[in-house]
């Protein structure tokens, strides 16, 4: 079965396509010899299936006319030989807070010895402004609820209050409650700062040091780096507020209105996939709606166009020959993970790529691979034992340093990254990478208590923050172990556990576990004393897998996906521990099960092969779990689960549990039959299929284990799995999972479908022989074909 012997087959084979132009007046279309990968999203028109597309109206993440600016402030600071760091300009208005402290943060230690340095720090929003915005949001919610009540007939038609009408630019679909974003308080203001040193013989110290900072609410603040480079260079030539005004105007006119807003499940799928065409239909719909608006069509027609593939006009893919030739105003991005736009600064078009899906606790442009290599390489060449601590050294004195770091973050220890004689930008990147590593895009509570760069003058404020994560360049910190619990030395690649760290307390959960499982007391004590054997937590195996992926150059996305899996597994194991010890878990919301009497599909939570394996892993991780249960991230996660539960489309089944049973355990035909039938029975709508895809990511073989149902011994199971795969193949995201299935499973799919169609035809033939009218048979035949 050579790949080149026959064309690829799918439930809806694509037709010959053409290059697409976004300019309606252009008549030139260059036909291509087949479906180009650049245009793999748009195939021949076919019958519109509403369940293959989201029911909610497509909206922009940053609609046109929105009042909130991309950048709120621009600051400039300089170093004065007599006064020290001073703030020169703040635009458009002075920022609240301590100016001198801001100037010190903008001019880090040893900045004058380098030509250029980057720093990142966070500012907390003014509380009064937070309260005003909270009141405004509450009032909007109240008005939306009144509109829903009136639509449901709970209010009289004439019972109208001022403000009940829709706001300008808001539609009934727009006014629905959006998914919760989470958060422990007001959103942070992220500050990206550039420091430049210019040699100047006329200056007192022979050099001029200036810093320029951009303050934004967007966590993807790294996109402004090229603009800061140009603007600071311009400011050296023309040190006036007009220079800042030019930059402020340029960044705030950046147009992101064509970037679609994704749901929570869609964001997760996009982050977990490397497919550059995933959800490209949404970008196409945004462009179609914009072009219809430009033509002056009514909003009803615009909505109809977004829902009807037959009405779509042709588009080009950015970067393709067709786009260059056509000079189209709008184009679909080359990679749907990034939205491509431009900022005009001083007559120069600056290309900008904005990430479409942002994970919690992901700030700036950092590299997990760089962080892992910094501490893994010295450990691999010359392992050095750690001081034992039950929360940190979960695999003994030679626990991998990256696992020690993750454990320290999860159990809310004070962590410092020290980069003596290193640029402050390097320690800031390490802090941001550590926050993302411990979060996995799932947990929160790290960046809000992170200090990507700080100095010795702020130690008193730093020590008031429990469980901080800070980046410093002053070596004095190393000599004060009472200030930190874990010190990560970037130049040497070594970590050190403080001899002044608080010991792990004996908790109720640990005592209950030992009392309920006396045969595992030795395993619990071994984990605490660093004598655990056979890697009960699986951390050593996991790190070996991560390092193999790094060595094989699998890329940053793969490594982040692996860490997300690790954090997700940790939370699910923690939930199982709570259920084992306390009888219930705050991390699992009990629901009415889909089939209460059917134990084969009513389970939930993490899956182990057998009970001893489960207890061994719980015994090995009991200290880390108990250490996490009293932290900010644990309580935030508990709140997030309660909020996000209401947005989960399929509540009565734990799809993750069912898929893990198919993937990790050996099942009898009767049990697997129940699981496959349940998956097919309860997974129909667009969001339900999205939820199924989230538990079967490409990194876990995608639909492989679902498609194994095609080989089940029961015919009705095989037919139900065919129906399920057909629904997935028509789904906007699922079609990419379908394409990744092996040829072996696809052949089984076509064989079963062909047999079912042949059987139906034969039955129809029998009916015709008994006098059934030809018209009805022809209609059914057309449906089969």
């Amino acid at each position: 079965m050579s790949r080149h012997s026959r064309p690829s087959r799918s439930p809806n084979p694509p037709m010959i396509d053409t290059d697409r132009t976004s300019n309606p007046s252009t008549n030139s279309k260059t036909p291509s010899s087949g479906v180009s990968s650049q245009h793999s999203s748009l195939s021949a028109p076919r019958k519109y299936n509403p369940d293959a597309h989201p029911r909610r109206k497509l909206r922009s993440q940053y609609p046109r006319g929105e009042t909130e600016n991309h950048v709120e402030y621009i600051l400039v600071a300089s170093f004065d030989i007599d006064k020290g760091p001073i703030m020169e300009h703040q635009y458009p208005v002075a920022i609240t807070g301590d100016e001198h402290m801001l100037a010190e943060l903008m001019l880090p230690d040893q900045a004058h010895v380098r030509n250029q340095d980057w720093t990142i720090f966070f500012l907390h929003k003014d509380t009064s402004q937070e309260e005003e915005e909270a009141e405004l949001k509450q009032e909007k919610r109240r008005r939306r609820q009144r509109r829903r009540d009136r639509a449901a007939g709970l209010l009289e038609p004439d019972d109208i209050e001022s403000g009940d009408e829709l706001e300008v630019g808001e539609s009934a679909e727009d006014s629905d409650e959006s998914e919760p974003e989470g958060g422990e308080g007001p959103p942070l203001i992220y500050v990206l700062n550039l420091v430049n040193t210019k040699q100047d013989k006329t200056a007192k110290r022979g050099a001029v040091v200036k810093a320029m900072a951009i303050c934004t609410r967007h966590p993807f603040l790294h996109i402004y780096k090229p603009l800061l480079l140009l603007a600071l260079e311009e400011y050296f030539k023309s040190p006036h507020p007009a220079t800042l005004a030019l930059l402020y105007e340029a960044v705030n006119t950046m147009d992101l209105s064509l970037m679609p807003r994704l749901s929570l499940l869609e964001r997760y799928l996009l982050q977990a996939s490397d497919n550059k065409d995933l959800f490209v239909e949404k970008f196409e719909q945004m462009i179609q709606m914009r072009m219809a608006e430009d033509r002056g069509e009514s909003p009803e027609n615009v909505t109809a166009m977004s829902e009807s593939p037959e009405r779509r006009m042709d588009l080009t893919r950015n970067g393709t020959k067709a786009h260059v030739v056509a000079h189209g105003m709008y184009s679909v991005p080359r990679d749907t993970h990034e939205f491509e736009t431009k900022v005009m600064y001083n007559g120069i078009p600056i290309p900008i790529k904005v990430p479409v899906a942002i994970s919690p606790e992901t700030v700036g442009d950092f590299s997990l691979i760089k962080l892992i290599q910094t501490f893994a390489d010295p450990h691999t060449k010359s392992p050095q034992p750690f001081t034992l601590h039950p929360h940190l050294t979960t695999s003994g004195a030679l626990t991998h340093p990256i696992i020690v770091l993750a454990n320290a973050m999860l159990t809310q220890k004070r962590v410092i990254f020290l980069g003596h004689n290193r640029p402050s930008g390097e320690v800031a990147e390490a802090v941001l990478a550590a926050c993302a590593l411990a979060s996995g895009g799932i947990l929160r509570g790290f960046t809000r208590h992170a200090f990507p760069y700080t100095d010795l003058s702020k130690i008193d404020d730093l020590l008031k923050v429990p469980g901080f994560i800070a980046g410093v360049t002053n070596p004095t910190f190393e000599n004060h172990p009472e200030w930190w619990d874990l010190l990560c030395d970037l130049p040497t690649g070594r970590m050190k556990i403080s001899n002044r760290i608080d010991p792990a307390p004996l908790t109720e959960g640990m005592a209950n576990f030992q009392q309920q499982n006396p045969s595992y007391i030795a395993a619990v004590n071994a984990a605490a004393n660093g004598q655990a054997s056979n890697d009960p937590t699986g951390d050593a195996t996991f790190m070996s897998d991560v390092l193999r992926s790094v060595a094989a150059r699998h890329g940053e996305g793969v490594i982040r996906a692996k860490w997300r899996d690790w954090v997700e597994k940790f939370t699910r194991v923690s939930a199982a521990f709570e259920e084992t010890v306390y009888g219930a878990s705050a991390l699992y919301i009990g629901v009415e099960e889909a089939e209460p009497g059917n134990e084969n599909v009513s389970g939930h939570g993490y899956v182990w092969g057998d009970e001893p394996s489960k207890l061994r892993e719980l015994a090995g991780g009991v200290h880390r779990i108990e250490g996490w249960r009293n932290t900010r991230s644990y309580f935030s996660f508990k709140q997030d689960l309660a909020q996000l539960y209401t947005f989960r489309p399929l509540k009565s089944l734990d799809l993750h549990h069912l898929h893990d049973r198919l993937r990790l355990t050996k099942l009898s035909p009767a049990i697997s039959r129940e699981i496959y039938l349940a998956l097919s029975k309860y997974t129909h709508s667009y969001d339900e299929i999205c939820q199924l895809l989230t538990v079967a990511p490409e990194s876990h073989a995608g639909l492989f284990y679902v498609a194994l149902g095609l080989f089940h011994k029961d015919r009705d199971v095989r037919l139900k799995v065919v129906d399920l795969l057909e629904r997935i193949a028509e789904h906007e995201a699922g079609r990419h999972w379908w394409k990744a299935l092996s040829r072996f499973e696809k052949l089984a799919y076509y064989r079963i479908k062909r047999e079912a169609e042949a059987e139906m035809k034969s039955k129809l033939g029998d009916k015709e022989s008994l006098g059934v009218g030809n018209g009805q048979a022809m209609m059914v035949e057309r449906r089969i074909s």
Side-chain angles (χ1 to χ4, degrees), residues 595-604 653-654 657-658 661 667-676 678:
E595 300 178 12
N598 190 346
E599 295 181 359
N600 296 327
V601 298
S602 60
H604 65 270
L653 282 184
D654 186 344
H657 175 82
L658 297 181
R661 289 181 67 191
L667 302 172
S668 68
I671 295 176
S672 62
R673 168 193 169 87
E674 298 293 340
I675 293 176
Y676 283 121

Side-chain angles (χ1 to χ4, degrees), residues 324-344:
V324 175
V325 171
H327 300 290
M329 183 184 300
Y330 304 116
S331 63
V332 180
R334 285 167 283 193
D335 183 352
T336 53
H337 293 78
E338 296 175 324
F339 179 77
E340 301 176 35
T341 185
K342 289 181 181 175
V343 173
M344 289 297 295

